[in-house]
Amino acid sequence: MDAPDLTRRRVLAGLPASLAAGAVLARPPRSLEEPKPVDVVIVGAGIAGLVAARLLVKAGKSVMVCEARDRVGGRTWSHEIAPGAYAELGAAWVGPTQDRVLALIQELGLTLFDQYTDGESVYVSRGDRKTFREKPPFGAAPPDPLLLPDLAIVSTWIDRIAKEIPVGAPWKAEDAQALDRQTAETWLRGRTLNLLGETAKNFSAAFEALFGAESREMSALFMLHYVACAGTEGVPGTFERLLNTRAGAQERKIVEGSQSICTRIAAELGPERVRLSTPIRLIAQNGEGANVIGNAFVVRGKRVIVAVPPPLAGRITYEPALPVERDQYTQRLGMGWLIKCEAVYDTPFWRAQGLNGSAVINDGPARSIFDVSPPDGSRGALLGFVGGDAAREFSGAPESLKRAVIENFVSCFGEKAREVREWHVADWGREEWTRGCPTAIAPPGLLTAYGPALTAPVDRIHWAGTETGGYWTGYMDGAVRSAERTVREILAAS
Ligand SMILES: Cc1cc2nc3c(=O)[nH]c(=O)nc-3n(C[C@H](O)[C@H](O)[C@H](O)COP(=O)(O)OP(=O)(O)OC[C@H]3O[C@@H](n4cnc5c(N)ncnc54)[C@H](O)[C@@H]3O)c2cc1C
């Protein structure tokens, strides 16, 4: 298929006319780069895009993956904190029922190690510090008499209702309309004792770490569907599995770093199939194929997989325009906002105090804290999640953020927590090609109004990415599942 004249002129001029002036190249490029047409062009080299490419190549298809960043991995981003020891600025953990990513990790020859859980966790609330051991039925939840009764009631409600919500099609749930009409906060308040009127506050440490958002920002149906997705075929999702370390989503990590899933697949595919620093601006399709267009770049494919977070997919221009339902969907869906703050120490000194490095705090920006030291303990590392309201308050103020997070670490683990050897921050809201994390959040009304538009292919364009994953949406496992689905769609269509 030839690029339509209009498109060719625009690409040669640098960018599609419809883009904001700020994005236009200062000097028009001299020539248009046009690699060989392929069967499938994939936009985005995160887990979803790369897994799709790998499966398509195995099925005999030619592919090109176009990635905006100068690295692969997207929301996985590992960095070395000691020789051969990695910490994660993006996705870190895998856990039970995440079958698809666990199988991939094994296939790629990567190694898992257990999140450190020996010893006690710390809980700091209203200035009071307690230590506790994670055990059933409350797992990682702190032993706060104001919190536990509500948690027990809410977990039972959440799990019972989540079981009734069809994974991947929450709008089909019997009570979908009623659940989608209210925020998760309203729904929780109606089902708790609301001791001291602090329900929302008590749950916000969990919501901020899980969603990068507060419970008032998402629909109850979205939250309950997220829980429904924390399982696999035949094993219903549970709230506890999302929250827990042992037997939960924070159970294990990859020795070589989570990003190595992507770097290994990219190495397998080779540089001719994975183009870095190639942001895609426009996708123009007709009955024969699509032109996928970046800055002075166009590649043709018979089909396209867009494997970027849906709010970013909504920033690409499409010709012809996408169905209005899809456009309305991506206009309303927003990313959560998490800042990961990591302090590296000479040793995991808290372990000698009988502590496992996990903490929940009710005051201060880092409400959930984890030990993210390498498996051999050759360095110590603590991670603080700063999400939702706290991310809004502290983003852009790096010194105050560092001071406040280290104060949180000190309140949990003592004065030694000030002896920081390295300090790393990933503010995902400020990452141009992610714009928030860990996942996109649906406000009230969205899923029931436009739900099916998220995954429905539009002629030759297919939608991947963890948000479209069904089981373990929002997680690496969901990203793998989304890739597998789009590849099935494409192979069935060709
Ligand atoms: C801080 C944080 C903590 C997390 N913790 C966990 C965890 O512990 N366990 C877990 O399983 N998951 C976790 N997640 C979620 C997990 O990282 C994601 O679910 C998963 O990596 C998403 O993969 P993806 O391929 O769907 O999307 P992405 O990784 O977002 O990949 C999309 C790619 O598309 C590129 N892109 C965007 N727009 C364009 C464009 N126009 N043109 C070309 N390229 C474009 C981006 O640069 C990116 O590389 C976390 C995420 C974050 C950020």
Side-chain angles (χ1 to χ4, degrees):
M1 180 180 88
D2 281 339
D5 269 344
L6 177 65
T7 300
R8 185 176 289 274
R9 268 206 316 279
R10 278 203 242 150
V11 176
L12 267 168
L15 285 171
S18 51
L19 290 176
V24 172
L25 295 178
R27 220 177 295 132
R30 276 193 294 268
S31 62
L32 175 62
E33 200 185 334
E34 282 180 281
K36 244 180 34 214
V38 291
D39 291 323
V40 185
V41 180
I42 296 160
V43 183
I47 292 180
L50 290 167
V51 169
R54 182 173 191 256
L55 292 172
L56 286 164
V57 168
K58 281 189 176 173
K61 302 286 179 194
S62 56
V63 302
M64 172 164 285
V65 184
C66 301
E67 167 55 47
R69 286 180 164 98
D70 60 3
R71 63 169 180 87
V72 297
R75 281 172 271 179
T76 62
W77 190 10
S78 313
H79 68 126
E80 216 171 10
I81 56 171
Y86 296 88
E88 309 290 352
L89 296 170
W93 294 280
V94 291
T97 75
Q98 296 182 355
D99 308 335
R100 303 312 306 145
V101 76
L102 289 170
L104 180 65
I105 287 167
Q106 198 174 17
E107 242 180 84
L108 294 172
L110 299 169
T111 334
L112 291 171
F113 71 103
D114 287 344
Q115 169 65 26
Y116 189 82
T117 53
D118 293 352
E120 298 196 297
S121 305
V122 175
Y123 178 53
V124 181
S125 178
R126 294 168 281 272
D128 185 27
R129 178 182 179 278
K130 287 188 177 68
T131 57
F132 68 102
R133 230 165 249 285
E134 285 190 23
K135 51 178 187 263
F138 296 113
D144 185 333
L146 294 178
L147 175 62
L148 287 186
D150 274 352
L151 188 65
I153 300 169
V154 157
S155 300
T156 311
W157 269 102
I158 290 181
D159 291 352
R160 189 189 303 159
I161 296 185
K163 241 185 236 155
E164 309 296 318
I165 297 186
V167 168
W171 54 90
K172 291 186 179 160
E174 205 178 303
D175 279 342
Q177 293 291 343
L179 293 170
D180 206 26
R181 212 176 285 138
Q182 51 191 313
T183 66
E185 182 184 337
T186 313
W187 187 87
L188 286 167
R189 207 182 289 132
R191 271 152 200 83
T192 52
L193 305 173
N194 201 16
L195 297 168
L196 296 187
E198 291 204 346
T199 297
K201 190 172 172 202
N202 281 335
F203 284 98
S204 72
F207 273 76
E208 286 174 4
L210 280 178
F211 298 103
E214 306 298 332
S215 52
R216 65 172 188 278
E217 296 179 70
M218 65 195 75
S219 96
L221 182 63
F222 170 80
M223 182 268 286
L224 292 161
H225 177 246
Y226 208 75
V227 174
C229 291
T232 187
E233 287 80 3
V235 185
T238 66
F239 193 41
E240 213 183 329
R241 195 174 299 119
L242 274 178
L243 292 181
N244 277 3
T245 300
R246 287 194 200 115
Q250 284 67 239
E251 187 180 68
R252 287 188 285 170
K253 289 194 288 185
I254 301 172
V255 174
E256 298 82 356
S258 304
Q259 196 184 350
S260 60
I261 296 178
C262 295
T263 51
R264 290 213 177 173
I265 298 178
E268 255 180 48
L269 292 169
E272 66 289 354
R273 293 199 186 100
V274 183
R275 264 187 78 101
L276 299 180
S277 306
T278 307
I280 296 307
R281 312 289 191 181
L282 169 65
I283 300 176
Q285 63 169 329
N286 64 16
E288 294 155 46
N291 291 316
V292 177
I293 297 160
N295 305 340
F297 166 84
V298 55
V299 60
R300 282 157 223 156
K302 291 183 191 137
R303 291 191 174 263
V304 183
I305 297 177
V306 177
V308 311
L312 291 185
R315 289 171 184 247
I316 296 174
T317 303
Y318 299 87
E319 288 180 2
L322 296 179
V324 63
E325 292 78 10
R326 165 86 201 179
D327 195 54
Q328 289 277 317
Y329 195 115
T330 56
Q331 285 185 55
R332 283 163 173 74
L333 195 72
M335 298 300 283
W337 190 353
L338 268 184
I339 306 174
K340 256 193 167 186
C341 297
E342 185 188 280
V344 181
Y345 300 94
D346 286 336
T347 60
F349 60 87
W350 50 92
R351 295 183 183 177
Q353 305 165 25
L355 300 174
N356 59 30
S358 295
V360 178
I361 303 195
N362 257 343
D363 311 297
R367 317 276 308 276
S368 301
I369 297 172
F370 289 91
D371 178 334
V372 292
S373 313
D376 63 359
S378 55
R379 287 270 189 283
L382 288 174
L383 165 75
F385 277 116
V386 176
D389 285 343
R392 283 182 276 273
E393 186 182 342
F394 283 91
S395 177
E399 283 312 312
S400 329
L401 174 70
K402 183 175 178 184
R403 249 193 326 273
V405 171
I406 289 176
E407 232 27 81
N408 283 158
F409 292 169
V410 168
S411 68
C412 296
F413 306 111
E415 286 298 317
K416 227 173 149 40
R418 294 194 198 282
E419 294 168 20
V420 176
R421 177 191 170 115
E422 285 171 39
W423 175 249
H424 302 278
V425 173
D427 182 344
W428 286 88
R430 291 174 187 268
E431 284 285 314
E432 182 181 8
W433 299 108
T434 307
R435 295 184 188 252
C437 83
T439 188
I441 306 295
L446 177 60
L447 294 176
T448 45
Y450 303 116
L454 182 66
T455 50
V458 178
D459 301 326
R460 288 173 175 269
I461 304 177
H462 302 257
W463 311 104
T466 190
E467 283 78 6
T468 72
Y471 283 110
W472 289 105
T473 179
Y475 287 75
M476 294 186 277
D477 190 67
V480 177
R481 290 173 193 256
S482 76
E484 292 171 343
R485 174 186 45 76
T486 47
V487 169
R488 281 195 300 274
E489 285 169 7
I490 287 176
L491 297 181
S494 48

